[in-house]
């Protein structure tokens, strides 16, 4: 039996032998593409080649791509673990042709690989062909059909409609007809009864699609129309885990060596046994074995769990896994992080980024699990409260609160409800959920119109490393609308504007269209396209454009980018080489750098880090920038970032070859002396295992310093310019503390006096000892203190104390427990209902003691009278 590693290798070897370049998987987390959060298919990283935005460096490529299908157009989450062949994260094996071979070769090779290399019996294979779609004016795929007829028996060819046989990545983008290959894994007896062709694309667990050959011919536009592409391409995707299951002769993907390692580890940890069934415990095993991969590889690619966007998707997957082991494997401590070493080891040579960051990823996962396990318990208590509140139904709002505040997925709420013979208003829950989605959608949606292109020359080149002003042309533009505001996005054939990436903000500046000046308010990247954002469109769009970057701002930004490299190296030097970049923001005002590290950075370490950076600044190192092959750069010791996609030729920024070598596309100063001085202004925690530093250099350091000195000067002035400022401040603080103590003891003595006077003023009203008076005290707390004090000297009492403290009324009511019980009085209620309106304020408390504060002190006698009248 072939191992999964051998199966993967055979695929790549096969396509290498057919002239394909084997390329690495792109990161699973997508950057620079507003239409996609995660890679959901192998073709994503090649989107620009299909659309003609960029020329591919090769015409044939193959790889295994980490994919995640839990959001957007492709979302399989609910199936995962329940069925045996849909995963959250999976590997998609793929081969590509960029304007090179087309349907004939793609089909031939897929058949050769499956039947001759992998030796899958032909009679178990079925293929599908697009039948056409009149509504979209799409013809049936005659070329594919003719090719298949040469290879397979006709009764193994199935015609498919647009849903199954026309592949699209998302709402817009490259697409085309496809031809799928399905495998019938049923035993022969079953196959004899019902032919496999009847079960193709029918969700039968043993008749499954393994490979899709997509023939990219169109671009789906925003208005829904299809535009033929200038060249045609091949884009194929084969589910690796499904292929392994077929070749290893298993009934389920989870029974292959892709998953058995983590399942066995889960058995050991929980003391439970995986039983291959559909009961909840076995589903839990599968859910864990699946989810751990999605969690591990996305965090390794730089996406931390969070409350929004891609981070929230990861958090949801993680919580889904936690609640499965908590509820169904009866395991109440963090479990997932314990599996991480097993997973990292298994993928060490395929996706080494997990093994390389194992400590970090495990730590992040463990803390997420701990946090959710805490709310899970609180949520369960909340659930008890809701259920104790009777009713036969948990309404939608309550279920949604559990979901939203306690992170309870609906099915967990439903399970617990069922155990207690209660129903959950599912429709109500979904309505609440929809409303919330609506709210967040309305806030973030960006409405993008189609591009208007009108220049032959479609390529867009960045020339801003050495030029800040160039003459160029507008090659396309489009209108966008976000939060009700309209803007334009412009693409130039050559541009000096740096587009936001690698943490560095986009340039701003001016585009001059033969005299008409258009402000560029931001520059962004979409895939590799450089987009200039402006508030209006020039009148004359076809002429020469002078593009000019705001040079001062660019310089200060470059200062902070070079400073970031110096800081990164210093952090590794002082704290250790486990430090890896987890986020970065570089602008003209400051730099912000997030990095993996498990403890607060101490004062002493901060001093050493700053000193190290400033030494490099004083040595005035030239910043040397060179392009070289990636391998060469890595051998030279260059630091690459996890989750970043690099081309074969990389840009390497070196500042003292013994100190800092980084792969980086940003803009930098010529020599470190331009930084002037470097100062860390804050150090804090951002997430589990991630620290954040903010720092300034260059002109921003100057402003920071001036500001500090100004503050210091005003403190000095306030202290009348003492010789030793620190000593004066310390003396003042000590004196202040001393005075506070004295004041407190004086106040306490005064309170004793007031108490004694009050005890003289008691009267008996209807058998109750009543004391009501306006007293002179310095703060509201004193009223409470008096109440406590009086309590020890009275029986069956009601006390109302009022005070005017600096013009503001304050009231306290204290009632003996015996009176609360016998007369049904409630101090909290009295404060709210009787007192608050009279003093124009509010308050509250317990039945035996409550207080209020307000705005109007003129009614204090009325307050006392009102309470007295109740007795
Ligand atoms: P299905 O109908 O089974 O969901 P699909 O039509 O969504 O598959 P494609 O988008 O064509 O699949 O993806 C190409 C291949 O990737 C599929 O043939 C399949 O082998 C694999 N695949 C798709 N989704 C998943 C998933 N969630 N988990 C594992 N493999 C998958
Ligand atoms: Mg699918």
């Amino acid at each position: 039996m072939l191992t999964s590693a051998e199966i993967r290798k055979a695929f790549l070897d096969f396509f290498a032998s057919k002239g394909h370049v084997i390329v690495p998987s792109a990161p699973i987390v997508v950057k620079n593409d507003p239409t996609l959060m995660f890679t959901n298919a192998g073709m994503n990283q090649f989107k620009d080649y299909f659309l003609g935005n960029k020329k591919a460096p090769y015409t044939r490529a193959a790889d295994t791509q980490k994919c995640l299908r839990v959001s957007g157009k492709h979302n399989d989450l609910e199936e995962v673990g329940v069925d045996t062949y849909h995963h959250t994260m999976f590997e998609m094996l793929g081969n590509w042709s960029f304007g090179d071979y087309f349907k004939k070769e793609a089909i031939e090779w897929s058949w050769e690989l499956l039947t001759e290399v992998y030796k899958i019996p032909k009679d178990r294979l079925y293929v599908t062909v697009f039948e056409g779609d009149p509504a979209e004016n799409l013809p049936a795929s005659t070329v594919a059909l003719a090719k298949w007829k040469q290879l397979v028996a006709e009764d193994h060819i199935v015609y498919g409609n647009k849903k199954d046989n026309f592949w699209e990545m998302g709402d817009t983008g490259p697409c085309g007809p496809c031809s799928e290959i399905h495998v019938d894994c049923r035993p022969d007896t079953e196959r004899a009864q019902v032919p496999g062709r009847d079960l193709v694309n029918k969700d039968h667990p043993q008749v499954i699609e393994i490979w899709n050959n997509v023939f990219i011919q169109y671009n789906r536009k925003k208005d829904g129309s299809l535009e033929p592409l200038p060249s045609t391409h091949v884009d194929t995707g084969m589910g690796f885990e499904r292929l392994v299951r077929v070749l290893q002769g298993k009934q389920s993907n989870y029974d292959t060596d892709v998953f058995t390692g983590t399942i066995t580890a889960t058995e050991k940890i929980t003391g439970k046994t995986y039983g291959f069934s559909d009961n909840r415990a076995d589903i839990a095993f599968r859910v864990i074995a699946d989810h751990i991969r999605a969690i591990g590889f996305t965090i390794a690619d730089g996406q931390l769990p969070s409350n929004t966007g891609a981070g929230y998707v990861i958090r949801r997957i993680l919580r889904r896994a936690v609640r499965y082991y908590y509820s169904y494997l009866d395991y109440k401590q963090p479990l997932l992080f314990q599996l991480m070493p097993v997973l990292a080891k298994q993928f060490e040579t395929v996706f080494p980024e997990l093994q390389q960051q194992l400590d970090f990823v495990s730590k992040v996962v463990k803390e997420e699990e701990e946090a959710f396990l805490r709310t899970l318990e609180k949520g369960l208590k909340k659930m008890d409260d809701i259920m104790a509140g009777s009713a036969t139904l948990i309404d939608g709002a309550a279920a949604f609160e559990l979901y939203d505040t306690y992170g309870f997925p609906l099915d967990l709420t439903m399970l617990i409800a069922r155990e207690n013979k209660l129903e959950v208003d599912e429709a109500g829950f979904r309505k609440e959920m929809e409303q919330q989605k609506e709210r967040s959608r309305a806030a973030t949606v960006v409405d993008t119109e189609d591009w208007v292109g009108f220049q032959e020359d479609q390529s867009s080149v960045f020339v801003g490393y050495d030029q800040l002003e160039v003459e160029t042309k507008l090659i396309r533009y489009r209108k966008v609308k976000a939060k009700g505001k309209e803007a334009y996005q412009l693409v130039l054939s050559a541009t000096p504007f740096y587009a936001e990436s690698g943490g560095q903000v986009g340039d701003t500046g001016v585009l001059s269209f033969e005299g008409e000046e258009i402000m560029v308010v931001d520059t962004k990247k979409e895939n590799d396209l450089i987009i200039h954002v402006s508030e209006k469109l020039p009148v004359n769009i076809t002429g020469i454009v002078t593009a000019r970057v705001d040079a001062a701002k660019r310089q200060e930004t470059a200062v902070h980018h070079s400073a970031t490299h110096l800081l990164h190296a210093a952090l590794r030097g002082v704290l250790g080489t486990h430090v890896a970049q987890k986020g970065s923001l570089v602008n003209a005002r400051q730099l912000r750098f997030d990095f993996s590290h498990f403890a607060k950075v101490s004062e002493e370490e901060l001093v050493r880090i700053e000193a190290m950076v400033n030494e490099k600044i004083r040595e005035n190192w030239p910043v040397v920038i060179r392009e070289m092959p990636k391998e060469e750069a890595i051998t030279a010791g260059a630091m690459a970032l996890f989750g970043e996609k690099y081309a074969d030729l990389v840009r390497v920024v070196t500042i003292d070859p013994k100190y800092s070598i980084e792969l980086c596309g940003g803009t930098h100063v010529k020599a470190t002396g331009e930084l002037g001085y470097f100062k860390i202004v804050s150090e804090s925690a951002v997430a589990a295992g991630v620290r954040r530093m903010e720092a300034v250099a260059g002109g921003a350091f100057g402003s920071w310093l001036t500001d500090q000195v100004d503050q210091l000067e005003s403190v000095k002035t306030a202290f009348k310019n003492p010789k030793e400022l620190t000593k004066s401040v310390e003396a003042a603080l000590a004196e202040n503390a001393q005075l506070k103590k004295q004041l407190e003891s004086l106040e306490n003595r005064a309170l004793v006096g007031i108490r004694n006077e009050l005890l003289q003023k008691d009267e008996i009203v209807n058998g109750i000892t009543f004391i009501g008076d306006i007293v002179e005290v310095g703060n509201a707390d004193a009223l409470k203190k008096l109440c406590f004090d009086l309590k020890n000297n009275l029986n069956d009492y009601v006390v109302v104390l009022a005070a005017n403290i600096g013009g503001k009324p304050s009231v306290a009511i204290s009632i003996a427990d015996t009176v609360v019980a016998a007369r049904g009085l409630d101090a909290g209620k009295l404060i709210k209902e009787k007192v608050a309106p009279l003093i124009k304020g509010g308050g509250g408390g317990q039945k035996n003691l409550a207080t209020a504060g307000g705005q109007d002190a003129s009614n204090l006698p009325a307050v006392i009278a009102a309470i007295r009248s109740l007795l």
Side-chain angles (χ1 to χ4, degrees), residues 69 73-76 79 86 209 242:
R69 291 198 169 177
K73 186 172 176 71
H74 295 278
N75 187 344
D76 296 332
E79 266 76 57
H86 279 97
E209 174 188 331
R242 294 185 190 180

Side-chain angles (χ1 to χ4, degrees), residues 79-85 203 205-206 245 251-255 273-287 324 328-329:
E79 266 76 57
V80 174
V82 180
D83 81 9
T84 56
Y85 60 106
D203 293 333
Q206 299 301 330
R245 160 217 190 138
Q251 300 284 303
S252 151
N253 290 12
Y254 295 95
D255 301 343
T273 312
Y274 178 53
F276 304 90
S277 80
D278 282 339
N279 72 31
R280 289 192 181 264
D282 288 341
I283 292 177
F285 273 106
R286 295 197 287 269
V287 163
Y324 266 97
Y328 306 125
L329 298 181

Side-chain angles (χ1 to χ4, degrees), residues 91-110:
E91 282 179 65
M92 196 186 279
L93 302 169
N95 57 292
W96 283 274
S97 150
F98 306 113
D100 185 11
Y101 66 84
F102 205 39
K103 301 186 183 181
K104 181 177 146 299
E105 295 86 341
I107 289 175
E108 248 164 31
W109 291 337
S110 64

Side-chain angles (χ1 to χ4, degrees), residues 9-137:
K9 183 169 181 298
F11 178 91
L12 298 174
D13 289 350
F14 177 81
F15 281 103
S17 80
K18 305 284 185 201
H20 290 63
V21 178
I22 307 304
V23 300
S25 172
I28 197 164
V29 185
V30 173
K31 291 182 182 140
N32 296 333
D33 188 341
T35 66
L36 214 55
M37 257 190 228
F38 299 100
T39 298
N40 66 7
M43 57 78 68
N44 297 162
Q45 67 165 315
F46 305 117
K47 197 173 137 186
D48 271 350
Y49 303 154
F50 294 137
L51 289 174
N53 287 342
K54 213 171 134 188
K55 203 175 146 16
Y58 29 67
T59 56
R60 299 177 183 189
D63 72 358
T64 178
Q65 171 67 49
K66 294 175 279 187
C67 293
L68 189 66
R69 291 198 169 177
V70 287
S71 55
K73 186 172 176 71
H74 295 278
N75 187 344
D76 296 332
L77 185 61
E78 289 311 316
E79 266 76 57
V80 174
V82 180
D83 81 9
T84 56
Y85 60 106
H86 279 97
H87 301 294
T88 52
M89 182 256 175
F90 64 99
E91 282 179 65
M92 196 186 279
L93 302 169
N95 57 292
W96 283 274
S97 150
F98 306 113
D100 185 11
Y101 66 84
F102 205 39
K103 301 186 183 181
K104 181 177 146 299
E105 295 86 341
I107 289 175
E108 248 164 31
W109 291 337
S110 64
W111 195 250
E112 183 187 335
L113 176 64
L114 293 181
T115 61
E116 283 168 37
V117 178
Y118 290 138
K119 301 205 181 335
I120 302 177
K122 290 184 185 166
D123 68 328
R124 287 189 176 269
L125 294 170
Y126 291 86
V127 301
T128 66
V129 175
F130 183 45
E131 66 187 8
D133 188 276
E136 293 234 36
N137 212 0

Side-chain angles (χ1 to χ4, degrees), residues 264-326:
T264 309
T266 310
E267 288 182 323
K268 275 209 195 99
I269 296 166
T270 60
K272 301 263 189 305
T273 312
Y274 178 53
F276 304 90
S277 80
D278 282 339
N279 72 31
R280 289 192 181 264
D282 288 341
I283 292 177
F285 273 106
R286 295 197 287 269
V287 163
I288 291 165
D290 173 275
H291 288 14
I292 184 76
R293 294 160 31 106
I295 298 162
F297 287 111
T298 43
I299 297 177
D301 267 354
Q303 181 59 61
L304 295 173
S306 74
N307 259 335
T308 52
Y312 190 58
V313 174
I314 303 311
R315 179 164 282 171
R316 266 175 45 218
I317 296 177
L318 188 141
R319 288 184 175 182
R320 194 170 185 263
V322 172
R323 83 102 174 157
Y324 266 97
Y325 68 65
Y326 188 94

Side-chain angles (χ1 to χ4, degrees), residues 284-544:
F285 273 106
R286 295 197 287 269
V287 163
I288 291 165
D290 173 275
H291 288 14
I292 184 76
R293 294 160 31 106
I295 298 162
F297 287 111
T298 43
I299 297 177
D301 267 354
Q303 181 59 61
L304 295 173
S306 74
N307 259 335
T308 52
Y312 190 58
V313 174
I314 303 311
R315 179 164 282 171
R316 266 175 45 218
I317 296 177
L318 188 141
R319 288 184 175 182
R320 194 170 185 263
V322 172
R323 83 102 174 157
Y324 266 97
Y325 68 65
Y326 188 94
S327 296
Y328 306 125
L329 298 181
D330 197 27
Y331 195 77
K332 314 286 185 198
Q333 308 146 45
L335 183 157
L336 302 174
F337 85 99
Q338 303 181 56
L339 300 173
M340 216 46 93
V342 181
L343 187 69
K345 186 86 199 135
Q346 183 184 339
F347 283 92
E348 200 173 11
T349 54
V350 196
F351 305 124
E353 55 277 12
L354 185 56
Q355 182 67 36
Q356 286 160 358
Q357 301 175 90
L358 183 57
D359 284 349
F360 171 70
V361 176
S362 304
K363 168 106 177 169
V364 170
V365 170
K366 180 167 182 238
E367 295 213 4
E368 272 289 308
E369 290 187 86
E370 278 168 351
F372 183 55
L373 284 167
R374 278 195 298 271
T375 58
L376 192 59
E377 266 164 46
K378 269 191 230 146
L380 289 171
K381 279 205 194 91
K382 171 84 192 168
M383 186 97 198
D384 284 342
D385 290 349
I386 294 173
M387 293 188 301
S390 74
T392 54
L393 185 81
I394 296 182
D395 63 34
F400 185 73
E401 189 192 347
L402 281 165
Y403 164 82
D404 199 36
T405 312
Y406 299 94
F408 267 44
L410 179 65
D411 42 0
L412 177 59
T413 305
M414 288 174 62
L415 178 83
I416 303 165
R418 227 176 295 131
E419 286 166 1
N420 291 277
K421 310 232 170 344
L422 290 179
E423 298 270 325
V424 178
D425 175 10
E426 260 190 271
F429 172 83
R430 295 201 195 283
K431 213 166 112 196
E432 297 276 340
M433 183 92 161
E434 247 339 283
Q435 280 169 359
Q436 194 207 39
K437 269 197 200 142
E438 267 313 311
R439 283 195 294 274
S440 54
R441 204 176 296 143
T444 57
V445 87
V446 180
D447 194 15
T448 312
E449 292 190 359
D450 287 327
W451 286 109
V452 182
F454 48 89
Q455 293 270 2
E456 289 298 294
D457 172 13
Q458 285 283 296
S459 71
S460 156
V461 199
F462 177 62
V463 296
Y465 287 130
D466 0 75
Q467 282 166 284
L468 294 182
E469 178 171 338
V470 293
E471 295 209 329
T472 178
K473 284 181 299 180
L474 181 67
I475 54 176
R476 48 164 123 165
Y477 70 87
R478 70 181 173 191
K479 198 179 190 177
V480 294
K481 207 174 182 181
K483 295 184 182 157
K485 245 182 100 185
E486 266 178 16
Y488 289 88
Q489 300 188 335
L490 314 177
V491 179
L492 303 171
S493 67
T495 179
F497 283 78
Y498 181 83
E500 175 184 340
S501 64
Q504 181 177 333
V505 293
D507 277 336
T508 57
V510 177
L511 301 180
S512 173
F513 287 79
E514 298 179 348
E516 185 187 1
E517 301 222 316
I518 303 279
M519 301 298 292
V520 175
V521 294
D522 198 0
T523 312
K524 293 184 167 165
K525 229 187 217 180
E526 194 167 306
N527 301 303
D528 282 317
L529 211 56
I530 298 169
I531 291 172
H532 306 78
V533 184
S534 74
E535 275 152 17
K536 61 177 193 175
L537 202 61
V539 183
N540 174 8
I541 48 181
T542 51
I544 296 282

